């Protein structure tokens, strides 16, 4: 048996370390109780999401953060989140064509296991609809994934292929969730379609470059004409002064 696995099998101390905030996966999580006690709160950091069995996405908020202290000479560092989970089956609406997920925070998923490891956590925040008088929107919150604060990966060819038509500006505008990313990833595009998109982007870039050059030449022409007018005015003034000085004075 592996030594680290043996240490885990021996169990951990009944005393644990508790935190009100914890940094993991490029996120800073705070407990729900900590945010309630903050008078000058400027951000929400208690929203959490995790993927369970069968690919089901669970949404909730962090209630407590614990670090488990295992026995042994080289104990592993295990941090777990105790979460308040919302009921996913009854209070979630998924709009695949928009890439949005809505959740209701009014119910509770009553399960004995409410813990996840910190590595499993993805940070989200919930934004309620502004129009709460509409029965279809009242009580529903839109789930937004928080981008992790890490160095972004280098861009690839797919990053330059938007989901909109650069000529007509028609397409889909939404925040990609795990569901929509999977849907677009499974789409297969033919080489002919990719070449057509590249040609459209080149034509759009060429039109923008020509427009910029035209504006630059027009601005330069106006500046040159203004400068010539100033030079002509100065030269005319000098000639008039010389003629005045050379004109004979009659006594």
């Amino acid at each position: 048996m592996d030594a680290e696995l043996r240490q885990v099998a021996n169990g951990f101390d009944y005393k644990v370390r508790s935190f009100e905030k914890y940094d993991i996966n490029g996120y800073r999580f705070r407990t729900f109780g900590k945010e309630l006690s903050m008078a000058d709160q400027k951000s929400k950091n208690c929203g959490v999401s995790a993927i369970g069995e069968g690919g089901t996405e669970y949404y909730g908020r962090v209630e407590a953060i614990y670090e488990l202290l295992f026995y042994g000479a080289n104990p592993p560092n295990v941090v777990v989140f105790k979460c308040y989970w919302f009921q996913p089956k009854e209070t979630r609406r998924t709009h695949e064509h928009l890439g949005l997920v809505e959740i209701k925070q009014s119910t509770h998923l009553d399960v004995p296991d409410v813990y996840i490891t910190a590595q499993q956590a993805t940070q989200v925040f919930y934004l309620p609809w502004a129009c709460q008088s509409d029965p279809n929107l009242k009580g529903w919150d839109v789930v937004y994934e928080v981008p992790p604060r890490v160095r972004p990966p280098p861009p690839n060819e797919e990053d330059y292929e938007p989901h909109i038509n650069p000529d007509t500006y028609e397409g889909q505008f939404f925040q990609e969730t795990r569901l929509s990313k999977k849907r677009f990833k499974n789409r297969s595009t033919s080489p002919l379609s990719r070449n057509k998109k590249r040609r459209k982007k080149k034509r759009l870039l060429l039109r923008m470059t020509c427009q910029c050059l035209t504006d630059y030449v027009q601005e330069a022409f106006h500046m040159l004409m203004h400068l010539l007018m100033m030079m002509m005015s100065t030269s005319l003034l000098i000639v008039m002064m010389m003629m005045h000085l050379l004109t004979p004075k009659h006594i």
Side-chain angles (χ1 to χ4, degrees):
M1 181 183 294
D2 183 72
E4 186 175 3
L5 182 59
R6 186 184 297 275
Q7 282 188 329
V8 174
N10 290 334
F12 53 87
D13 196 348
Y14 69 95
K15 295 182 180 180
V16 296
R17 295 177 181 174
S18 177
F19 304 95
E20 291 184 334
K21 59 183 179 180
Y22 193 79
D23 295 345
I24 189 70
N25 301 335
Y27 307 112
R28 168 162 291 183
F29 288 95
R30 285 197 297 259
T31 61
F32 183 64
K34 172 64 177 178
E35 293 195 342
L36 290 178
S37 64
M38 296 173 60
D40 55 344
Q41 181 181 354
K42 298 180 180 179
S43 62
K44 286 282 188 180
N45 296 73
C46 65
V48 64
S49 171
I51 300 179
E53 296 182 358
T56 304
E57 294 184 1
Y58 293 89
Y59 300 95
R61 55 177 179 257
V62 179
E63 294 288 323
I65 304 174
Y66 301 119
E67 181 182 10
L68 308 182
L69 304 177
F70 284 86
Y71 302 110
N74 189 20
N77 181 23
V78 179
V79 177
V80 296
F81 291 171
K82 180 183 179 182
C83 302
Y84 180 98
W85 297 109
F86 309 130
Q87 178 62 251
K89 296 181 179 180
E90 301 177 1
T91 63
R92 188 181 69 181
R93 297 189 300 193
T94 303
H95 305 275
E96 295 187 9
H97 62 290
L98 296 177
L100 293 179
V101 175
E102 294 175 308
I103 196 75
K104 268 192 174 181
Q105 303 187 51
S106 58
T107 60
H108 175 225
L109 179 61
D110 189 11
V111 291
D113 187 7
V114 295
Y115 294 90
I116 60 171
T117 60
Q119 288 78 8
Q120 295 176 279
T122 300
Q123 192 171 77
V124 297
F125 72 94
Y126 310 106
L127 187 64
W129 290 105
C131 183
Q132 290 294 312
S133 59
D134 189 343
N136 294 325
L137 302 178
K138 185 177 181 180
W140 291 95
D141 296 322
V142 180
V143 180
Y144 290 92
E145 291 187 8
V146 178
R149 298 182 180 89
V150 295
R151 180 177 296 179
N156 52 33
E157 187 176 349
E158 295 181 357
D159 295 333
Y160 299 97
E161 294 185 2
H163 304 310
I164 61 172
N165 189 336
D167 295 330
T168 61
Y169 296 101
E170 295 180 353
Q172 295 177 331
F173 297 83
F174 58 86
Q175 180 195 22
E176 288 189 340
T177 61
R178 285 188 284 259
L179 179 65
S180 58
K181 288 177 182 178
K182 184 186 301 182
R183 182 161 57 92
F184 278 102
K185 185 177 180 181
N186 294 334
R187 286 186 177 179
S188 60
T189 56
S190 62
L192 182 61
S193 176
R194 288 196 296 267
N195 292 334
K196 187 177 180 180
K197 290 182 179 179
R198 292 193 189 99
R199 288 196 298 268
K200 286 185 177 181
K201 286 187 289 186
K202 288 181 180 179
R203 287 198 299 267
L204 179 62
L205 181 60
L206 181 60
R207 288 202 303 268
M208 295 175 62
T209 305
C210 293
Q211 185 64 35
C212 292
L213 289 176
T214 302
D215 296 341
Y216 176 77
V217 171
Q218 290 179 354
E219 186 67 23
F221 177 76
H222 291 314
M223 293 179 63
L224 180 61
M225 292 298 297
H226 183 68
L227 182 61
L228 289 175
M229 292 294 293
M230 293 179 60
M231 293 177 63
M232 291 176 61
S233 301
T234 306
S235 302
L236 182 61
L237 180 62
I238 294 175
V239 170
M240 292 179 63
M241 292 179 63
M242 292 180 63
M243 290 180 62
H244 179 74
L245 294 174
L246 295 176
T247 301
K249 305 291 191 299
H250 297 282
I251 302 175

